[in-house]
Amino acid sequence: MVPLQHLRLCLCLPLLLLPPPAAPAPVPHPSTNWAACRTLSRELSRLLATLKEPHRVLEETHLSEEDPKNWPPRIRCSDACDPPTLDTNNTRCLQRILQGLQQYRDLLGSDIFTARPLPQLEAALDQLLGLIQQDRGRPPRRPVAPSEAWAHPLLQHLALQRLQSFTTIMSRVFTHSAR
């Protein structure tokens, strides 16, 4: 009887030494239409590229204010928007994109753009938001802090400059994920 117990132990020991099975990779949200998001993000980039700066002195100006209060987030390395991570889990990156788009949309609807409304840009943002936030719900709007009228051209320039950077990275994410 003892040799039989040793045989069982010998057969079971390798199973105990195996690492635990890896957790299944998260499945992308089924309602995300990556191809449509890619198309709309490219359209948004095109619209931003066609905008003309009304104040010529600001054309070559690059403002470097560190994260003004209530301003949209940037996509950072820690947001997991790199291709290898997107292939396994795109939730975190998609959440950051959604958060940024919502805040840029709120910014375009704020007093900063009262004198210079950009309806085509707002419409493109709305369409892209609609595609991404299906079944996710929209968090409450965060009002943008009122600003002085003299600062509006500078803030518009900063907002559009940041939106263009955000859109460039976002388009790369959608292009990669739409493959």
Side-chain angles (χ1 to χ4, degrees):
M1 206 51 145
V2 173
L4 188 56
Q5 287 177 344
H6 283 283
L7 182 60
R8 276 192 217 152
L9 184 60
C10 289
L11 291 175
C12 294
L13 187 60
L15 294 175
L16 295 173
L17 296 177
L18 290 175
V27 179
H29 199 278
S31 65
T32 303
N33 182 340
W34 293 102
C37 288
R38 177 188 57 203
T39 302
L40 280 171
S41 66
R42 287 179 178 171
E43 175 65 14
L44 189 59
S45 291
R46 188 194 64 73
L47 285 171
L48 284 164
T50 62
L51 289 177
K52 299 290 182 204
E53 179 60 56
H55 304 282
R56 309 242 331 123
V57 73
L58 293 176
E59 281 180 357
E60 298 300 319
T61 304
H62 295 284
L63 304 172
S64 63
E65 186 176 343
E66 268 311 300
D67 294 326
K69 192 175 183 179
N70 292 327
W71 277 67
R74 294 179 174 153
I75 297 175
R76 301 188 191 284
C77 293
S78 60
D79 294 326
C81 290
D82 56 294
T85 308
L86 285 171
D87 289 339
T88 58
N89 184 0
N90 57 31
T91 306
R92 188 177 190 184
C93 181
L94 204 53
Q95 194 61 33
R96 175 61 88 177
I97 289 173
L98 179 61
Q99 180 186 21
L101 286 174
Q102 288 170 337
Q103 289 184 12
Y104 276 112
R105 179 60 184 91
D106 294 344
L107 189 61
L108 286 174
S110 73
D111 71 329
I112 295 169
F113 287 93
T114 303
R116 184 185 176 197
L118 300 169
Q120 287 181 316
L121 202 55
E122 289 180 50
L125 279 170
D126 284 338
Q127 285 181 318
L128 195 50
L129 272 168
L131 280 175
I132 297 172
Q133 70 188 14
Q134 290 177 354
D135 301 329
R136 288 181 180 85
R138 178 160 167 47
R141 286 189 140 199
R142 291 184 189 172
V144 177
S147 57
E148 298 292 331
W150 64 266
H152 289 179
L154 290 170
L155 294 173
Q156 287 172 14
H157 180 73
L158 179 61
L160 294 174
Q161 192 177 42
R162 281 185 160 195
L163 179 57
Q164 188 151 26
S165 294
F166 186 87
T167 301
T168 300
I169 295 171
M170 178 183 61
S171 291
R172 290 178 184 161
V173 167
F174 290 138
T175 298
H176 174 80
S177 297
R179 301 182 285 146

